[in-house]
Structure formats: C-alpha cells, structure tokens
Amino acid sequence: MPTLILLRHGRSTANTGGVLAGWTPGVALDERGAAQAAALPARLAELPLAAVVTSPLQRCRETLAPLLAARPALPLHADDRIGECHYGDWSGRKIAELTGEPLWEVVQRHPSAAAFPGGESVRAMQARALDAVRDWNARVEEEHGPDAVYLMCSHGDIIKSLVADALGAHLDLFQRIAVDPCSVTAIRYTRLRPFLVRLGDTGDLRGLAPAEETPAGPGAEEDGVVGGGAGAP
C-alpha cells in the first residue's frame, strides 16, 4: 500500500496568538508559517508525489500553495474528514482560558472520553480521519500502484491521532505525540500493519522516496528492520 506523508500546516496566526482555531474562518499563516511553506518545494523535491489531499481550511491551503505552484500537474483534492477537530464552543477561545475548564484535564489525560461542547468527540475525530486515510490509500494504490507516495496536509490533533493508530496505541496516549508546524510525519502502510517511518520531521526527506529494490527480498517491506536499517542513501 502507499506511503502517506502527513504534513501539518505552517505556523498560523492562531498558533502565535494562543487561540484554539478549530474551523474558525480566516485563520492564515503568520510570517514564519509563510516561510515554512515557501521551503516545502525544496524539502519535498526528491519525493515523487502522486497526489495531494488537503483539509479545506485556509491555513492548509496556504501551506500547500508554493508546492502546488512548483508542481502544477500535481492533483489536489480537498477532504473535510481531515479537517481540524470540531471544537464547538471552544473554537476561537484563548488556550490560557481553556486550561481552567474541567474538560481540559479530560482532554489531556483521558481524551477518548472527551467531547467538546457543541462540537465532536476526540474519538469521532480520529474515526473520520482514519476512514479518510483508508479510502485514500485504496484510491491512490488503484490509480498509482502500491509504491506510490502521496501527501495529506492536515492539523496537529488529526495527525497525532493517526500516529497513535499506526503505533497500535490507545487514543488516550495520543497527547504524548508532538508534531510541529510544517513538520512531516510519514506512515508506510502494508497489507498487515503500518510502519511509522518519520515523526515531526523538519529535515532531509529523501529517505521517504520508494526504494529501487528491497535488499531483504520479497515481502520484507512488511517486516520490522532488524538492527534499524541503513537510512537514507
């Protein structure tokens, strides 16, 4: 199955303002976020991306704009299922205020039981994101083959929940995962299980390109690499 490149959007005005943006319209990249986005074409230059799927929110679209300008033939698809968590009544509020809410501790320590007032539960957020990934894995594999690489531009909580699933970790552990703005997380899916091959990476991404051959022989891509592997060429 394909390799999924999960890209968190660049730093936004809500990030620097300490605001929980959610689906609030008009949240753009700040100056640093725009610079992070401008660096993406070079960072991803070695990867033969088959397609790009994006959250419909402005900060994700702005993050992808330089990459799409550099690769005008790259197909772009929007999918609401990888949009930010619906934080409901919490949307647009200062994080500093929310830390005093009784629900805050539940979100931090027992997120599988957390549901945002007027919004959705963390479990529902993860479920829709996983459905999107499974659907896109199948579509990309059918259209581009099992060695295809494709990119999803999404949000911190979405990416963390997908990483937890890839690791076989309970959703209650997903707050232990951190992904910086404009960082790359990569999950290589196989028939039997996924492999987390990058987490919050902001450096050289050449090692995510499909290998020309598998030294260990057929089927080795579904096994853990004993000894850790040789890394990027």
Side-chain angles (χ1 to χ4, degrees), residues 180-204:
D180 288 339
C182 225
S183 65
V184 163
T185 293
I187 301 172
R188 182 165 290 131
Y189 288 89
T190 75
R191 182 175 61 90
L192 298 178
R193 57 183 172 174
F195 290 88
L196 179 66
V197 292
R198 288 289 192 283
L199 176 61
D201 196 322
T202 57
D204 190 341

Side-chain angles (χ1 to χ4, degrees), residues 16-29:
T16 48
V19 171
L20 188 64
W23 284 69
T24 305
V27 177
L29 299 183

Side-chain angles (χ1 to χ4, degrees), residues 8-21 24-34 36 58-59 62-63 94-95 181:
R8 186 183 171 196
H9 62 78
R11 197 175 75 175
S12 73
T13 53
N15 295 146
T16 48
V19 171
L20 188 64
T24 305
V27 177
L29 299 183
D30 68 5
E31 185 176 352
R32 181 175 176 184
Q36 291 170 334
Q58 178 180 339
R59 51 197 183 273
E62 289 183 358
T63 299
K94 290 278 191 179
I95 298 289

Side-chain angles (χ1 to χ4, degrees), residues 18-21 87 89-105 116:
V19 171
L20 188 64
Y87 296 117
D89 298 343
W90 280 25
S91 298
R93 292 182 60 188
K94 290 278 191 179
I95 298 289
E97 298 173 0
L98 295 172
T99 57
E101 297 279 354
L103 180 61
W104 182 265
E105 187 175 15
F116 296 98

Side-chain angles (χ1 to χ4, degrees), residues 20-207:
L20 188 64
W23 284 69
T24 305
V27 177
L29 299 183
D30 68 5
E31 185 176 352
R32 181 175 176 184
Q36 291 170 334
L40 273 178
R43 289 178 62 203
L44 299 170
E46 300 289 334
L47 300 186
L49 297 175
V52 173
V53 185
T54 186
S55 157
L57 296 174
Q58 178 180 339
R59 51 197 183 273
C60 287
R61 292 186 176 275
E62 289 183 358
T63 299
L64 291 172
L67 175 65
L68 296 172
R71 301 197 200 187
L74 191 58
L76 175 66
H77 311 273
D79 193 326
D80 286 359
R81 295 175 296 176
I82 62 167
E84 182 63 283
C85 185
H86 291 279
Y87 296 117
D89 298 343
W90 280 25
S91 298
R93 292 182 60 188
K94 290 278 191 179
I95 298 289
E97 298 173 0
L98 295 172
T99 57
E101 297 279 354
L103 180 61
W104 182 265
E105 187 175 15
V106 181
V107 171
Q108 294 298 315
R109 299 181 181 272
H110 190 19
S112 66
F116 296 98
E120 68 180 335
S121 68
V122 178
R123 287 181 293 107
M125 176 202 73
Q126 184 189 46
R128 63 173 165 86
L130 285 170
D131 284 345
V133 167
R134 288 167 182 148
D135 289 348
W136 281 105
N137 280 349
R139 176 172 172 176
V140 169
E141 180 173 8
E142 180 180 359
E143 295 179 2
H144 302 280
D147 295 325
V149 179
Y150 74 107
L151 184 145
M152 277 187 173
C153 186
S154 189
H155 307 266
D157 281 351
I158 294 285
I159 294 172
K160 288 160 55 179
S161 74
L162 292 171
V163 170
D165 173 77
L167 292 174
H170 196 281
L171 184 58
D172 284 344
L173 302 180
F174 101 123
Q175 295 289 25
R176 302 184 184 190
I177 299 164
V179 290
D180 288 339
C182 225
S183 65
V184 163
T185 293
I187 301 172
R188 182 165 290 131
Y189 288 89
T190 75
R191 182 175 61 90
L192 298 178
R193 57 183 172 174
F195 290 88
L196 179 66
V197 292
R198 288 289 192 283
L199 176 61
D201 196 322
T202 57
D204 190 341
L205 301 173
R206 288 176 296 173

